[in-house]
């Protein structure tokens, strides 16, 4: 049995699995049991994990290695002008800023990753307990976790790959999350 890369995108109500077979992408969506996930937080990791394990079997994906895409609501993000700031100091600055978006969150409880976007840097933060809960979901499914990433970073990479090399204009991307008015 060979390892099969399976990308799993999560919403509050669905798991969407996507995988490549013979140079063709396949995907399948399954509805989560009610009240398992709310605002990007898995409330019942073991139940979601069992669902994921059974779903992978139903998709005939032995040897699945999961690349988990965290839902939009599970993360905080901001685009920063990087400037000449030291990369390690930048991460700490971004962590403090992202934690400050919620008065009750300590910066030390936030995992931060960054993505370079031209001269700017996208900083993404996820509360450690939420990240651990999603890791527990995959562990409950009894499949290896290859990588965890935020869904918008994955989508951004896909958009960047689809832009022709000779494109010289500006690109605007509007993001609307459920339950929040307006776009960013």
């Amino acid at each position: 049995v060979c390892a099969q890369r399976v990308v799993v995108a999560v919403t509050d109500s669905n798991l969407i699995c996507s995988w490549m077979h013979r140079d063709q992408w396949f995907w399948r969506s399954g509805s989560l049991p009610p009240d398992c996930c709310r605002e990007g937080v898995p409330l019942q990791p073991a139940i979601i994990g069992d669902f994921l394990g059974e779903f992978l079997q139903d998709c005939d994906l032995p040897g699945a290695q999961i690349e988990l895409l965290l839902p939009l609501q599970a993360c905080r993000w901001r685009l920063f002008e990087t400037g000449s700031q030291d990369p390690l100091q930048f991460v700490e600055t971004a962590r403090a800023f992202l934690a400050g978006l919620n008065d009750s969150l300590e910066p030390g409880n936030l995992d931060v990753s960054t993505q370079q976007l031209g001269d700017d840097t996208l900083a993404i933060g996820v509360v450690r307990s939420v990240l651990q809960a999603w890791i527990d979901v995959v562990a409950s499914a009894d499949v290896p976790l290859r990588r965890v990433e935020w869904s918008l970073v994955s989508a951004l990479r896909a958009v960047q790959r689809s832009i022709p090399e000779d494109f010289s204009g500006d690109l605007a991307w509007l993001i609307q999350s459920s339950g929040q008015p307006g776009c960013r």
Side-chain angles (χ1 to χ4, degrees), residues 28 49 56 64 72 82 87 89-90 135 143 148 154 157 181 184:
R28 206 164 145 204
L56 292 169
L72 185 65
T82 306
Q89 182 60 41
F90 172 77
I135 292 169
V143 291
V148 178
S154 180
R157 263 200 311 278
R184 289 179 64 187

Side-chain angles (χ1 to χ4, degrees), residues 150-164:
W150 187 39
S151 56
L152 275 183
V153 171
S154 180
L156 177 60
R157 263 200 311 278
V159 168
Q160 288 174 324
R161 281 194 303 262
S162 68
I163 297 172

Side-chain angles (χ1 to χ4, degrees), residues 17-99:
C17 293
S18 182
W19 64 96
M20 185 171 267
H21 180 70
R22 295 187 181 143
D23 296 328
Q24 186 175 358
W25 279 101
F26 293 88
W27 70 274
R28 206 164 145 204
S29 176
S31 297
L32 290 172
D35 300 321
C36 282
C37 185
R38 186 176 311 124
E39 296 180 16
V41 177
L43 302 176
Q44 299 179 38
I47 291 174
I48 299 171
D50 289 344
F51 178 83
L52 174 60
E54 291 174 14
F55 192 63
L56 292 169
Q57 285 181 348
D58 290 346
C59 293
D60 195 27
L61 292 168
Q65 291 190 359
I66 303 301
E67 291 186 18
L68 184 65
L69 301 180
L70 295 176
L72 185 65
Q73 308 91 321
C75 301
R76 298 176 167 103
W77 63 278
R78 286 294 183 271
L79 188 63
F80 293 93
E81 290 182 16
T82 306
S84 61
Q85 194 172 16
D86 172 55
L88 292 176
Q89 182 60 41
F90 172 77
V91 169
E92 291 308 314
T93 301
R95 177 177 283 119
F97 180 85
L98 293 170

Side-chain angles (χ1 to χ4, degrees), residues 129-145:
S129 61
V130 173
L131 178 59
Q132 185 58 55
W134 283 113
I135 292 169
D136 293 345
V137 164
V138 177
S140 293
D142 200 26
V143 291
L145 179 61

Side-chain angles (χ1 to χ4, degrees), residues 90-91 95 98 111-115 121-126 150 153:
F90 172 77
V91 169
R95 177 177 283 119
L98 293 170
D111 277 332
V112 174
S113 63
T114 60
Q115 174 83 30
T121 302
L122 176 64
I124 303 105
V126 62
W150 187 39
V153 171

